[in-house]
Every structure is written in structure tokens, then in C-alpha cells.
């Protein structure tokens, strides 16, 4: 696993962006590592984005990449913090787009099935989401806005 950080862990100015990029194994073990990185990034810097939602959506993106991406090459998590919120991307080696990420599916997920609600959660809980091709496959992403200070610890 490799990790690089652009920005200072002792970030003082809210206007300075910070970003993290980490290669994760193409296994289920990547999900808790990705969740921990997002939580650490948001709490250590007292960023103001909703940590619980960011963790949940990150876990969905990473789990989808592990389950649906062709091949067994590593996936990559990119977290970018900006004054207006955060953006999380998961890169995988499969160029195929991720189902119905940006438009509602034609069929509602079966509430009794274990799978099928991840992209619905991402659409419903993020301020924006999408995917884009990359040189090595695709990146699937979501954005969350910062939470107003009066609502953070209520």
C-alpha cells in the first residue's frame, strides 16, 4: 500500500486544499482502510464535512470497485479537501461505467437483497457524483459540502 499527501497535517488556513492518494489492494481489506483514511482526513483537520456520510459513501465506492472491476489490479483512493467540501474518488482498472450512478435506475432495488443500493445511496447522500475515464480505467467520485459549524456537533 502506498500513500502520499499533498498538504500539511497541521493545516491552519481553511482556504488551503489538502489531498491524499493511496493505493489499496483489490480485496475486501481495502474497505476499512479507505473508511479510516477519510475519517482521519476529515477529523484531524477539523474539516467540517460530514464524516459519517463520507465514510459510508467511500465504503460503497471501494466495495463496488472490488466487486465489479475486472482484473485484480490495485484500486486507488483519492481524497481532496477544499473550503467548500470534500471530493472522494476511487480509481479502478475497469473502464466500464458504474451502472446507474448519475441517473435513477429503471428498477428499484429489492429491499430484501443484500446488494443493489450502493449507487442509490451515493446519489441520494452526495451533493454531486459521477465517473470519468482515466488512462488506466475509470474514476468514480462523489462530493460532500461542508456542514455549517452550528450543525456539526448537534
Amino acid at each position: 500500500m502506498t500513500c502520499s499527501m499533498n498538504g500539511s497535517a497541521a493545516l491552519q488556513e481553511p482556504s488551503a486544499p489538502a489531498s491524499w492518494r493511496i493505493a489499496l489492494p483489490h480485496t475486501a481489506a481495502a474497505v476499512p482502510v479507505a473508511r479510516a483514511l477519510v475519517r482521519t482526513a476529515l477529523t484531524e483537520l477539523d474539516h467540517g464535512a460530514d464524516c459519517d456520510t463520507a465514510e459510508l459513501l467511500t465504503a460503497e465506492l471501494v466495495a463496488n470497485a472490488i466487486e465489479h472491476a475486472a482484473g485484480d489490479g490495485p484500486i486507488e483512493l483519492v481524497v481532496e479537501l477544499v473550503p467548500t467540501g470534500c471530493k472522494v474518488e476511487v480509481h479502478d482498472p475497469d473502464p466500464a461505467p458504474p451502472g446507474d450512478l448519475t441517473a435513477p435506475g429503471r428498477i428499484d432495488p429489492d429491499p430484501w437483497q443484500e446488494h443493489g443500493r450502493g449507487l442509490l445511496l451515493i446519489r441520494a447522500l452526495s451533493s454531486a457524483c459521477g465517473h470519468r475515464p482515466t488512462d488506466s480505467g475509470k474514476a468514480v467520485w462523489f462530493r460532500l459540502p461542508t456542514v455549517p459549524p452550528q450543525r456539526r456537533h448537534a
Side-chain angles (χ1 to χ4, degrees):
M1 215 175 340
T2 60
C3 180
S4 65
M5 180 176 132
N6 173 14
S8 171
L11 185 66
Q12 298 297 321
E13 292 186 29
S15 61
S19 65
W20 289 260
R21 180 177 297 265
I22 185 168
L24 300 168
H26 200 126
T27 68
V31 175
V33 172
R35 289 180 73 119
L37 177 66
V38 167
R39 172 148 312 264
T40 299
L42 294 174
T43 57
E44 289 292 319
L45 297 177
D46 193 27
H47 182 263
D50 181 353
C51 286
D52 294 332
T53 302
E55 269 192 82
L56 172 66
L57 300 185
T58 299
E60 290 296 335
L61 287 184
V62 172
N64 280 350
I66 292 164
E67 184 174 343
H68 300 292
D72 60 355
I75 58 175
E76 188 174 48
L77 174 68
V78 179
V79 180
E80 182 179 342
L81 305 180
V82 295
T84 57
C86 71
K87 180 179 181 184
V88 175
E89 285 189 339
V90 173
H91 298 233
D92 67 57
D94 189 348
D100 294 320
L101 178 63
T102 56
R106 291 183 280 269
I107 300 172
D108 290 333
D110 182 343
W112 299 105
Q113 294 299 312
E114 185 176 329
H115 301 288
R117 291 177 290 284
L119 297 179
L120 175 68
L121 284 171
I122 293 166
R123 281 196 321 268
L125 299 176
S126 66
S127 60
C129 60
H131 61 89
R132 63 182 175 79
T134 64
D135 291 339
S136 60
K138 71 176 171 298
V140 184
W141 57 270
F142 69 84
R143 285 193 182 114
L144 291 176
T146 56
V147 178
Q150 66 271 21
R151 294 184 56 206
R152 283 186 199 165
H153 303 289

